Amino acid sequence: MDIPAMRANFAKAAAAGDEAPLYFYSHLFLSHPETRSMFPVSMAHQRDRLFAALGEVVSRVDDLDSLVPILQQLGRDHRKFGALPAHYPAVGASLLATLEHFDEDWNDHLAQTWAAAYKVVATVMIDAAEEAADQPPWWEAEVVAHERRTVDVAVLRLRPEPALDYLPGDSISLETQARPRLWRYYSPANAPRPDGTIEIHVKAHDGGPVSGALVRQVGVGDVLRLGPPIGHLAFDAESDRDLLLVAGGTGLAPVKAVVDQIARNGPARRVDLFVGARVEEQLYDRPELSRLEREHGWLTVTFAVSDDKESELEHGDIGDVVQRHGPWRSRDAYVVGPAAMVDDTVARLSGQGLPRERIRTEVFAPSRPGPSVDGEVTE
Amino acid sequence: MTSDESLSSGTSRRLTPADLHNVRFTRGSMLHPGYSDEEVDRLLNRVGEELGRVYAEKAELRDRVHALQAQVDGVEVPAPPSEQAVRLLATAQQTADNYVAEAEDFSRQITSDARVQYEEQLRQARETAGAILQAAHEAAGRTTGEAGPRGPESGLSTQELEDQVAYLKAFAQACRVQLRSYLEALLIDVESEWGRADPAVLPKAAARTPVPRGKQPAALNVARAMPMDDGARLTEDSGRADGDGGAAGSPNAEVVKQGR
């Protein structure tokens, strides 16, 4: 593979901006119309991602060791879109046509080297998809409960069929028929239960098509599609340190799964859970958390509000409140929420002497439809 | 016949060219010169059978070739789409994307305006309720202070004040409920406006009937598949503690997030 030539050629297509992916998808859909239904109606974001991802692959193509796990993940994940081995050559042909279209110096040598590189990529993805064939490509999940907790937060209980196995802290992508082909990631708020149901917390973002539909349109009896779980906030069940859990907004979901994991499977560890919101009304899971606190002696829950003068709860940013209750030097810490809240809390905990490697974090931001080449699922 | 007994004795084995080359017939006797008639006839029979089989096989193979050829011809190798077609589809897609993006932007604006309004009204209502409560407490303090020695009357006015406090609490609660349903109505409007953001329907979207769940017209599809990731543009309040929605994040900050 002549990698410098590939990069030079790719740079020409990338310089054309949106034109290049626009050409690619139009070419693909015209030559293989059956692929159109695998994509959402509006392709704007799809286009951004495709070329970003391709650029990543091209820039790493001489470092296959780092590329292969990413491609395998992508290959497995693409099953939920309905991607079949037969689709890969179609994509390859349109990719080459696009690269040719934007390069006046296109020649047979480039065509061969690109074809060879694409074949490597496609083979890795197809093989990974086939290895995952013992799992369904996606799970159908019926909504068995839907509670509006605040104006824009809903808690949903789903029953996947067949049972979906995951670890506390994993993320699961889902699609609702109200917004076909738009996949978003959510974290289960419980450890796997005997009845297989999964609780998810959804906040409707202004203008967010999927989150808005999940909060305001989806109801009991509707069926969602779930993708395979992706590991994120890895919960260290082996550690016997006591825990400090800090959550902002719906970042509560994965840490609640950790609490649930300990409640179900033990061993009991002292757990301090801090939950922050701007105003008291936004603490959407307060009764449930208070119930857990009453049931489990090892659990202490502290609620805090950052902008609510009337409230009788603790006041201040959650990081500040955590710090006031510290120091937490002996703990394993899990911090999940918006980026600013995570950064602030981590800085304060580190400042108090908690080693950084014992703080695990997850930033909750608007979700991507698919993981990036680095496996990120948020923007 | 010397070559091979099986050649003459049975038909189980196929006749090969080598077999024929190796045939050696038994010479006849003085009485009957030449080869043994019987062996020659037997061989001719076998050769005849073999030729028949070969022809049959050949015909069968010819048919298969024809069938396969027809299959190959039937498969259309899709011609690469013309430049014109690609451009046309690209333009159409872009137009659709722009409409969807506009509709989404519109929805985002309205929703965030509604939210700001809701929060402001809630804040005011709370402040008002707080102030009234405060005043009531002060009044109660004064009344009980003044009426202290007068006994029974003071009990009565405390009762009245408690009633008033209860009333105010209920009033505040009602305010909250009403504001909430007001915001809900706004949000439903936004949803339905957004749902009818199909280019063809957009100008007529004035009639605001909420679309019942599960019964959206087909035209909704354009809007349903909005491209934006949920709230992809963080509004200014997204950094606050109540943060963001269902998005799951990255494995840990040092690996993923800090690079961005």
Side-chain angles (χ1 to χ4, degrees):
Chain A
M1 273 181 267
D2 185 351
I3 292 167
M6 282 170 65
R7 285 192 185 143
N9 164 257
F10 182 76
K12 290 179 193 171
D18 204 27
E19 290 295 313
L22 198 54
Y23 186 95
F24 166 78
Y25 279 113
S26 301
H27 191 282
L28 177 65
F29 296 155
L30 284 168
S31 44
H32 294 274
E34 73 277 8
T35 55
R36 182 60 182 93
S37 62
M38 295 162 65
F39 294 90
V41 169
S42 169
M43 296 287 295
H45 289 254
Q46 188 70 33
R47 283 201 293 276
D48 294 351
R49 276 207 321 282
L50 172 86
F51 256 58
L54 264 177
E56 282 282 340
V57 169
V58 171
S59 68
R60 293 191 195 187
V61 78
D62 49 355
D63 180 15
L64 275 180
D65 288 345
S66 79
L67 202 55
V68 163
I70 296 162
L71 293 174
Q72 287 174 331
Q73 167 69 44
L74 275 176
R76 282 191 293 271
D77 202 54
H78 268 63
R79 296 172 71 224
K80 74 184 180 204
F81 303 124
L84 301 172
H87 293 134
Y88 285 83
V91 169
S94 292
L95 174 64
L96 261 67
T98 308
L99 294 166
E100 179 179 358
H101 182 78
F102 289 94
D103 189 349
E104 287 174 3
D105 304 324
W106 181 260
N107 54 38
D108 283 350
H109 172 66
L110 268 176
Q112 278 163 18
T113 199
W114 268 109
Y118 180 77
K119 192 154 187 249
V120 171
V121 169
T123 309
V124 172
M125 287 178 69
I126 292 171
D127 288 352
E130 273 169 10
E131 275 167 29
D134 54 333
Q135 283 198 337
W138 66 77
W139 284 256
E140 307 265 320
E142 188 187 340
V143 178
V144 291
H146 185 287
E147 293 174 32
R148 285 284 294 278
R149 296 286 178 87
T150 72
V151 159
D152 46 18
V153 173
V155 172
L156 280 67
R157 205 162 77 240
L158 313 176
R159 188 187 295 119
E161 190 62 44
L164 173 56
D165 198 25
Y166 62 93
L167 300 170
D170 278 354
S171 300
I172 292 173
S173 57
L174 62 84
E175 180 205 28
T176 155
Q177 283 311 298
R179 303 283 183 264
R181 298 300 173 191
L182 293 178
W183 291 81
R184 296 293 187 270
Y185 284 87
Y186 290 90
S187 267
N190 59 287
R193 295 169 172 155
D195 69 357
T197 57
I198 296 176
E199 175 183 314
I200 61 166
H201 299 175
V202 186
K203 165 149 193 245
H205 295 282
D206 294 349
V210 178
S211 60
L214 286 174
V215 170
R216 287 189 278 270
Q217 270 176 275
V218 167
V220 171
D222 287 348
V223 175
L224 309 180
R225 261 184 196 187
L226 308 184
I230 292 186
H232 276 111
L233 186 80
F235 170 60
D236 183 1
E238 301 299 309
S239 166
D240 55 2
R241 284 196 189 85
D242 290 340
L243 291 173
L244 169 65
L245 308 177
V246 188
T250 49
L252 174 63
V255 300
K256 194 179 167 197
V258 167
V259 172
D260 193 37
Q261 166 79 11
I262 295 167
R264 277 173 202 284
N265 305 318
R269 301 151 75 170
R270 205 140 49 93
V271 178
D272 285 85
L273 170 60
F274 288 81
V275 185
R278 207 163 56 84
V279 296
E280 204 173 314
E281 264 203 342
Q282 290 171 339
L283 292 165
Y284 62 88
D285 208 24
R286 195 172 161 190
E288 172 77 4
L289 293 174
S290 301
R291 183 184 64 78
L292 286 172
E293 188 181 23
R294 281 195 304 276
E295 281 177 14
H296 304 295
W298 42 265
L299 178 65
T300 309
V301 184
T302 307
F303 297 101
V305 288
S306 59
D307 184 20
D308 190 344
K309 282 175 240 141
E310 321 283 323
S311 171
E312 285 161 14
L313 298 170
E314 296 225 22
H315 289 249
D317 287 337
I318 190 71
D320 187 31
V321 174
V322 170
Q323 189 178 22
R324 288 205 298 265
H325 286 257
W328 303 97
R329 279 183 216 112
S330 64
R331 303 288 179 111
D332 279 348
Y334 293 82
V335 183
V336 188
M341 167 257 160
V342 169
D343 291 347
D344 177 58
T345 307
V346 168
R348 287 169 189 269
L349 289 174
S350 303
Q352 280 190 332
L354 180 60
R356 182 63 187 83
E357 66 272 14
R358 291 224 308 269
I359 310 175
R360 300 190 187 200
T361 62
E362 184 175 4
V363 170
F364 263 41
S367 174
R368 310 172 65 104
S372 73
V373 287
D374 284 319
E376 288 173 66
V377 296
T378 54
E379 288 291 327
Chain B
M1 206 159 104
T2 60
S3 68
D4 186 343
E5 273 310 302
S6 70
L7 181 64
S8 48
S9 61
T11 52
S12 60
R13 200 171 66 85
R14 297 284 303 257
L15 196 61
T16 69
D19 290 337
L20 285 177
H21 281 297
N22 294 333
V23 170
R24 296 288 180 275
F25 292 109
T26 315
R27 294 275 168 189
S29 63
M30 293 293 281
L31 234 58
H32 300 282
Y35 293 135
S36 153
D37 291 351
E38 196 188 339
E39 285 184 14
V40 173
D41 290 347
R42 226 172 21 217
L43 183 70
L44 283 177
N45 268 340
R46 281 218 58 198
V47 170
E49 278 169 21
E50 188 63 35
L51 264 179
R53 260 207 298 266
V54 167
Y55 277 120
E57 274 178 15
K58 196 175 156 198
E60 194 188 312
L61 287 172
R62 195 173 49 227
D63 288 351
R64 277 190 64 191
V65 167
H66 283 162
L68 288 171
Q69 187 66 45
Q71 254 181 40
V72 171
D73 292 344
V75 172
E76 280 178 46
V77 179
S82 73
E83 286 296 309
Q84 200 186 6
V86 172
R87 265 204 306 278
L88 202 65
L89 182 59
T91 313
Q93 181 69 55
Q94 236 172 353
T95 312
D97 293 354
N98 288 341
Y99 275 116
V100 171
E102 262 174 48
E104 184 183 333
D105 211 42
F106 179 64
S107 135
R108 177 177 300 114
Q109 274 173 26
I110 298 214
T111 321
S112 57
D113 287 355
R115 182 190 313 283
V116 167
Q117 217 173 343
Y118 161 76
E119 286 178 357
E120 175 59 22
Q121 294 196 18
L122 195 62
R123 194 187 58 77
Q124 279 179 7
R126 274 186 175 160
E127 267 177 21
T128 313
I132 295 175
L133 211 59
Q134 180 77 19
H137 275 304
E138 278 165 18
R142 270 201 311 280
T143 322
T144 39
E146 283 164 10
R150 275 187 278 168
E153 265 181 81
S154 75
L156 188 66
S157 57
T158 308
Q159 180 61 45
E160 274 170 5
L161 283 168
E162 275 170 4
D163 287 350
Q164 200 176 359
V165 168
Y167 165 76
L168 287 170
K169 276 185 178 160
F171 177 71
Q173 182 61 30
C175 274
R176 190 180 295 196
V177 167
Q178 211 158 23
L179 281 169
R180 187 175 160 132
S181 55
Y182 170 68
L183 183 75
E184 296 270 343
L186 273 177
L187 288 174
I188 287 167
D189 268 4
V190 169
E191 283 288 314
S192 59
E193 284 291 348
W194 183 61
R196 60 185 67 231
D198 181 282
V201 188
L202 191 60
K204 292 178 271 171
R208 301 183 160 195
T209 14
V211 184
R213 179 194 309 151
K215 291 196 171 181
Q216 288 90 343
L220 269 177
N221 281 338
V222 168
R224 279 174 161 196
M226 295 284 284
M228 295 296 298
D229 304 321
D230 295 1
R233 277 164 233 164
L234 293 175
T235 48
E236 54 185 0
D237 62 351
S238 66
R240 71 201 189 205
D242 78 301
D244 293 292
S250 35
N252 53 49
E254 63 263 57
V255 175
V256 174
K257 276 297 160 184
Q258 290 179 355
R260 289 170 76 82

